[in-house]
Amino acid sequence: MLEQREMIQINKSGWDKVADQFFEGSFDILDYGDYAPTEEELHLLGQIEDSIILEVGCGSGHTLEYLAKRGARELWGVDLSSSQINTAKEVVSNLGTPVTFIESPMEDIPGLPDSYFDKAVSIYALGWTVNLQKTLSNIHRSLKLGGTLVFSWEHPVHSVVEYANEQLRFRRSYVIEGFEKHDSWRGTPIVMQYRKVSTFINELINAGFVIDKIIEDSTFDDNDTSNSSEWYSNAKARMIPSTLIIKCHKV
Ligand SMILES: C[S@@+](CC[C@H](N)C(=O)[O-])C[C@H]1O[C@@H](n2cnc3c(N)ncnc32)[C@H](O)[C@@H]1O
């Protein structure tokens, strides 16, 4: 049985290897995920200008760049991967907004200040955590009272369904949670966590958040004939949401 710290270590090495494959993103829009509505459509973050914002799992820094270009006063980015943090540092280097980076697992973030942030955001990163309870309590502690957390993650139903032989089928149970070690995810070992939607909601409530909005909308296009065997495809998005987006605030 893998221990949590071993999983974090495997994922750190994995993300250091695959980081280049994830060097993407745009500062024109804030993309919550493939086939998901954008921040420009949803307006979940509210006022960015003059805000102090934390990004959990900041990857190559494009969301930080997006926030800086919209007038954030101060930004912090946390990520496990040295290679992602190094890229993110370059991406934000000439923006004129102070950005503090912490290279650390989100399960235990040394140096993260208490009651400091107006907002926290996390795009397709939070679900990597091996300890959702600890991660959410770290974020909760770091937010000011009333501070907002907005995160997106692969929809837990999407994660367990695959397209095969022109049909969607369950590749694993939705109700049995837990981790799965993949020996060659994009060519490297990685450990993924499977959680139900209710687990995310209940853990947010346990951490002291009030949920404002849950979004499961899917932006499929009837004229899209792209390859339906891709993990994210129009055919799949037509039947199940690709992405779960939750907005909540600290009380
Ligand atoms: C799919 S990428 C998303 C990056 C970025 N938010 C974006 O939208 O491009 C997931 C990120 O989560 C980071 N990550 C994975 N597990 C983590 C953990 N336990 N603690 C902190 N970061 C983690 C990875 O290094 C990677 O940069």
Side-chain angles (χ1 to χ4, degrees):
M1 181 75 163
L2 278 174
E3 295 205 10
Q4 290 188 354
R5 63 186 156 72
E6 292 175 84
M7 295 190 217
I8 290 174
Q9 199 43 55
I10 292 168
N11 286 353
K12 177 174 166 51
S13 322
W15 273 103
D16 279 339
K17 286 197 194 103
V18 303
D20 287 353
Q21 300 173 33
F22 284 82
F23 184 74
E24 58 189 1
S26 155
F27 54 80
D28 292 331
I29 53 165
L30 200 164
D31 207 349
Y32 284 115
D34 288 351
Y35 299 100
T38 64
E39 170 61 12
E40 282 52 48
E41 293 162 305
L42 296 171
H43 306 289
L44 299 176
L45 281 176
Q47 187 189 317
I48 294 168
E49 197 173 355
D50 215 26
S51 297
I52 307 179
I53 309 178
L54 166 70
E55 186 181 6
V56 179
C58 63
S60 50
H62 294 287
T63 302
L64 294 171
E65 182 182 15
Y66 173 96
L67 297 168
K69 290 196 164 157
R70 278 153 190 81
R73 178 162 24 122
E74 185 183 335
L75 295 166
W76 289 53
V78 174
D79 204 286
L80 174 74
S81 152
S82 343
S83 92
Q84 292 280 61
I85 290 274
N86 288 340
T87 309
K89 280 183 181 165
E90 277 177 39
V91 166
V92 303
S93 59
N94 294 318
L95 296 172
T97 308
V99 188
T100 304
F101 286 102
I102 306 182
E103 187 184 315
S104 160
M106 60 178 94
E107 293 82 349
D108 184 14
I109 312 173
L112 193 70
D114 288 354
S115 305
Y116 189 72
F117 298 98
D118 300 303
K119 298 172 201 294
V121 62
S122 182
I123 313 291
Y124 265 74
L126 201 73
W128 282 102
T129 182
V130 302
N131 191 327
L132 186 59
Q133 199 184 358
K134 273 179 92 177
T135 297
L136 291 177
S137 111
N138 293 337
I139 298 171
H140 186 270
R141 200 172 44 248
S142 76
L143 283 167
K144 292 176 187 164
L145 212 56
T148 305
L149 164 65
V150 176
F151 74 89
S152 70
W153 180 243
E154 184 169 276
H155 196 289
V157 175
H158 189 278
S159 304
V160 297
V161 169
E162 68 185 357
Y163 203 88
N165 302 323
E166 295 179 24
Q167 281 189 330
L168 288 174
R169 66 169 189 206
F170 279 84
R171 58 168 288 275
R172 58 166 283 140
S173 166
Y174 175 74
V175 291
I176 303 172
E177 300 187 302
F179 69 87
E180 191 174 9
K181 180 163 182 263
H182 297 268
D183 286 321
S184 184
W185 178 74
R186 294 173 177 251
T188 186
I190 211 98
V191 185
M192 288 180 180
Q193 309 290 327
Y194 294 88
R195 300 182 176 95
K196 295 177 283 187
V197 172
S198 54
T199 299
F200 282 100
I201 294 171
N202 290 328
E203 292 295 358
L204 285 165
I205 294 166
N206 290 341
F209 286 102
V210 165
I211 294 171
D212 300 308
K213 206 160 194 177
I214 301 181
I215 286 141
E216 299 183 292
D217 296 342
S218 197
T219 56
F220 62 89
D221 172 1
D222 280 333
N223 299 316
D224 183 339
T225 53
S226 57
N227 188 352
S228 49
S229 61
E230 294 282 321
W231 184 248
Y232 295 105
S233 73
N234 194 63
K236 209 169 162 185
R238 201 169 194 291
M239 302 301 279
I240 44 178
S242 64
T243 304
L244 173 69
I245 307 170
I246 299 186
K247 174 181 178 175
C248 52
H249 69 273
K250 172 174 175 170
V251 286

